[in-house]
């Protein structure tokens, strides 16, 4: 295959993958600007005749919507920060120390990432119950931390790998202990990786549904994803257009964040070495 | 500086800097590779000691053990008599200039230079003053607010040295600090490092693979090969009396011409020719490795006794002198140092000769020197007592 043909094939595949995500998203957009009457026309009229922003106005002025957004932000940001903090020592050890079974452990960490939270949700529920942490944000944050650690370890390890050891040795000769070197030299230089790990975790938390759905019952505490579900389940079908608008508003922060920082993430995951 | 001067300095207490002793240190890496074995070395206070040897011979490993970045598998390291083998780098009060400079990319030049002082508890004001002083000496005043990424290679190199001198450590370590610079800059930095050492006579251990750098900078040269010390001596001792074939072939540019030969009844024979009569060695007859420096060979009358017919293969005019590669009967290919005005051209057929007094002889099996040329006698300075 010629390079140009290969390029075209790559674009084609990318387009297909994008379509897979964009079709439902555009459907959501279509629904969110309809009047209740037009909702019943379904796919027959993809472009509504009389588009309206009324649904967005209703959603955004709803007090409880703001509360749920705030819940999401709090749980996700703290969960992301916690995961990064917990992953730093492990990632540093994987990057800097050579010990027996290092590669095996790295793979094991990745395997944990593959386990769906669904599988552990029932035992998790019991743990949280035993700990008295059901229906608390702290409990959910704890689970987010645990779920975020594997990916964080990998992202952080690869960005620690890119900080030359001689910089740490120079710091050691300048009188720093290991912890001080980590805080003053390695972490600042691995900054893009730390930020990327934090943002990836926060976005994963944002899209999390099952964990808060199971662990939180107080409707005032649930994040936006669960709140929308509750809303959909508890009211008549005539709210479909409101639901669509709410969904769009809910994914907007994550989307905006991703667009803003995608360069950073790409750089952190694939970038070259730090140079001194 | 020769041994006596350093000794005098030490007695006078004039030298800043520590005495460094390596006692039988060895380093075996986890994979089982032996980087350094049973190395003994003493650096006197204020002395500039250069570790030189081919790539992979264990120079960096030795330096890193002294710095405390690598733990020796065996042996002791003493600084001013105190056993520091078990101490980490942070507790040894040494400064090091790395080959890649290892400047902190996220800090300004000023913060790079002051970092060590601050970490060791100096006040902001003290640090500022020390950094300003070092920056003045190294002409870095205008660069203090820049980041390392905004500097040229030579400037980074100077910042790395600045970072080392700011702390006024008792021991300076350099790991091939000039190897990333272009040739011209390397030569000027060589001078600058020496000038700096004259100003702050701190004990210095300097690693390089470049024998010219070693010869020009060192008070004492330590020639290393395959994890072992081949010879320790002043540059001239190492040049005039190489202790082994390895040193003879490593030191000097071009290095010593070496060729297999035989001693027979006090004369040197090679390829069936009698090359040199009257070798005053008192050695038994048998095979030897013979060595002649490029300046020990001269053009000769083809009819003269012991003259070896030779053909000139190529010329390297250097301006002040000309190097020529000859193929000579008995010697094989040899480099000869000629006067720049000698009338030479490739293809020229002539004869070469040497003095028996300039001959180096080595044991062909072990490589150890059996006899060294007598340069030091002939080149004794005028008026010195003999
Ligand atoms: N961390 C290490 N692990 C294993 N072997 C090493 C390590 N560092 C150096 N070596 C080996 O030790 C030998 C000496 O290395 P080094 O001291 O860096 O040589 P030099 O500085 O003289 O070029 C080399 O053969 C090198 O491959
Ligand atoms: Mg080296």
């Amino acid at each position: 295959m010629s390079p140009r043909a290969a390029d075209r094939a790559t674009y084609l595949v990318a387009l297909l993958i994008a379509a897979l995500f964009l079709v439902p998203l555009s459907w959501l957009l279509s629904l969110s600007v309809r009047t209740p009457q037009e909702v019943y026309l379904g796919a027959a009229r993809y472009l509504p005749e009389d588009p309206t922003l009324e649904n967005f106005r209703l959603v955004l002025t709803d007090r409880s919507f703001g509360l749920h957004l705030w819940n999401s932000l709090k749980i996700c940001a703290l969960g992301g920060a916690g995961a990064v903090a917990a992953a730093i020592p492990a990632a540093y050890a994987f990057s800097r120390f050579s010990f027996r079974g290092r590669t095996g452990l790295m793979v094991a960490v990745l395997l944990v990432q593959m386990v769906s939270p669904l599988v552990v949700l029932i035992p998790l529920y019991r743990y949280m119950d035993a700990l008295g942490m059901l229906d608390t944000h702290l409990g959910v944050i704890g689970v987010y931390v645990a779920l975020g650690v594997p990916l964080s370890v990998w992202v952080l390890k690869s960005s620690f790998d890119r900080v030359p050891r001689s910089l740490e040795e120079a710091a050691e000769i300048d009188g720093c202990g290991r912890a001080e070197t980590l805080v003053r030299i390695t972490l600042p230089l691995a900054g893009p990786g730390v930020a990327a790990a934090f943002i990836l975790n926060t976005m994963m938390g944002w899209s999390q549904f099952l964990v808060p759905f199971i662990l939180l019952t107080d409707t005032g505490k649930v994040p936006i994803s669960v709140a929308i579900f509750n809303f959909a389940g508890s009211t008549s079908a005539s709210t479909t257009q409101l639901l669509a608008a709410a969904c769009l508003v809910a994914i907007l922060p994550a989307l905006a964040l991703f667009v803003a920082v995608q360069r950073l993430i790409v750089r952190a995951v694939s970038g070259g070495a730090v140079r001194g | 500086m020769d041994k006596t001067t350093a000794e005098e300095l030490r007695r006078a207490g004039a030298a800043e800097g520590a005495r460094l002793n390596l006692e039988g240190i060895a380093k075996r890496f986890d994979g089982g590779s032996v980087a350094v074995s049973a190395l003994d070395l003493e650096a006197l206070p204020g002395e500039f000691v250069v570790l030189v040897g081919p790539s992979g011979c264990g120079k960096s490993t030795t330096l890193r053990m002294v710095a405390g970045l690598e733990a020796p598998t065996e042996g002791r390291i003493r600084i001013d008599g105190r056993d520091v083998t078990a101490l980490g780098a942070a507790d040894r009060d040494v400064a090091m200039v790395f080959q890649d400079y290892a400047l902190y990319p996220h800090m300004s030049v000023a913060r790079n230079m002051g970092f060590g002082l601050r970490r060791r508890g100096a006040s902001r004001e003290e640090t500022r003053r020390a950094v300003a002083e070092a920056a003045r000496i190294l002409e870095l005043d205008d660069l203090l607010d820049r980041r390392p990424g905004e500097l040229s290679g030579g400037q980074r190199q100077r910042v790395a040295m600045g970072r080392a001198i700011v702390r006024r450590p008792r021991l300076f370590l350099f790991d091939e600090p000039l190897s990333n610079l272009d040739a011209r800059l390397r030569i000027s930095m060589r001078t600058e490092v020496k000038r700096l050492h004259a100003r702050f006579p701190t004990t210095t251990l300097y690693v390089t693979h470049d024998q010219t750098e070693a010869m020009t900078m060192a008070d004492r040269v330590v020639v290393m090969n395959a994890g072992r010390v081949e010879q320790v001596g002043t540059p001239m001792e190492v040049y005039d009396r190489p202790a082994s074939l390895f040193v003879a072939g490593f030191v000097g540019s071009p290095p010593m011409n070496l060729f297999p030969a035989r001693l027979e009844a006090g004369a040197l024979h090679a390829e069936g020719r009698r090359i040199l009569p009257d070798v005053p060695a008192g050695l038994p007859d048998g095979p030897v490795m013979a060595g002649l420096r490029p300046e020990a060979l001269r053009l000769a009358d083809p009819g003269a006794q012991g003259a070896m017919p030779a053909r000139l293969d190529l010329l390297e005019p250097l301006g002040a002198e000309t190097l020529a590669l000859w193929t000579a009967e008995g010697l094989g290919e040899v480099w000869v140092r000629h006067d720049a005005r000698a009338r030479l051209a490739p293809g020229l057929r002539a004869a070469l000769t040497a003095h028996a007094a300039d001959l180096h002889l080595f044991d062909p099996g072990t490589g150890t020197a059996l006899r060294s040329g007598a340069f030091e006698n002939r080149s004794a300075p005028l008026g010195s007592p003999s």
Side-chain angles (χ1 to χ4, degrees), chain B residues 289-311:
Chain B
M289 270 308 258
L292 286 166
R293 289 272 178 211
E295 56 272 27
L297 285 159
R298 282 180 310 284
L299 286 171
D301 190 348
Q305 198 213 1
M308 296 155 278
R311 189 191 66 239

Side-chain angles (χ1 to χ4, degrees), chain A residues 166-167 169 174 180 184 276, chain B residues 64 100 104 106 119 156:
Chain A
S166 63
L167 292 181
E169 292 173 349
D174 270 340
E180 205 177 4
R184 292 186 180 273
Chain B
R64 292 167 54 80
D100 63 356
Y104 311 123
H106 57 310
R119 298 275 68 71
R156 284 185 208 194

Side-chain angles (χ1 to χ4, degrees), chain A residues 98 164-177 180 184-186 188-189 274-276, chain B residues 64 67 69 89-90 94-96 98 100 102-107 115-116 119-120 148 156 163 167:
Chain A
S98 63
R165 275 171 196 238
S166 63
L167 292 181
E168 292 182 349
E169 292 173 349
E172 212 182 324
I173 284 177
D174 270 340
C176 291
E180 205 177 4
R184 292 186 180 273
I185 306 295
T186 318
L189 292 175
V274 173
R275 296 193 26 95
Chain B
R64 292 167 54 80
L69 297 173
V94 301
M96 181 157 167
F98 291 79
D100 63 356
L103 300 176
Y104 311 123
H106 57 310
M107 298 183 194
F115 188 72
R119 298 275 68 71
R120 288 187 148 80
R156 284 185 208 194
R163 179 168 69 177
R167 281 198 7 232

Side-chain angles (χ1 to χ4, degrees), chain B residues 244-385:
Chain B
S244 65
L245 266 177
F246 176 83
V247 178
F250 188 79
V251 172
S253 172
M256 185 182 287
N257 300 300
L258 296 164
F259 51 95
R262 281 189 70 79
L263 275 179
E264 278 170 28
L268 190 73
H269 293 252
E271 290 182 7
R273 293 182 68 89
R274 203 163 90 127
I275 300 175
L276 289 169
D278 310 327
V279 176
L283 292 168
D285 288 359
V288 290
M289 270 308 258
L292 286 166
R293 289 272 178 211
E295 56 272 27
L297 285 159
R298 282 180 310 284
L299 286 171
D301 190 348
Q305 198 213 1
M308 296 155 278
R311 189 191 66 239
L312 206 171
D313 291 334
L314 64 90
L315 282 174
E316 285 188 1
L318 296 176
E321 61 183 18
T322 296
L323 297 174
L325 185 64
W326 295 80
T327 306
E329 281 179 35
L331 303 179
E333 286 204 330
V334 287
W335 282 102
V336 181
R337 209 181 287 276
H338 295 283
D339 192 286
R341 283 152 300 173
R343 294 162 61 95
L344 301 167
L348 177 73
R349 288 182 182 277
L352 296 172
T353 185
H355 270 303
D358 295 338
L359 183 69
H360 296 258
L361 294 176
F362 302 91
D363 184 315
T366 62
T368 45
L370 302 170
R371 171 185 191 278
S372 293
F375 290 91
E376 73 276 19
N377 294 340
R378 281 195 282 121
S379 63
L382 288 174
S384 70

Side-chain angles (χ1 to χ4, degrees), chain A residues 1 30 56 60 106 110 144 155 197 200 233-234 256:
Chain A
M1 203 169 7
S30 165
F56 286 99
L60 288 172
M106 287 288 295
L110 199 63
Y144 281 16
V155 170
L200 284 173
S234 64

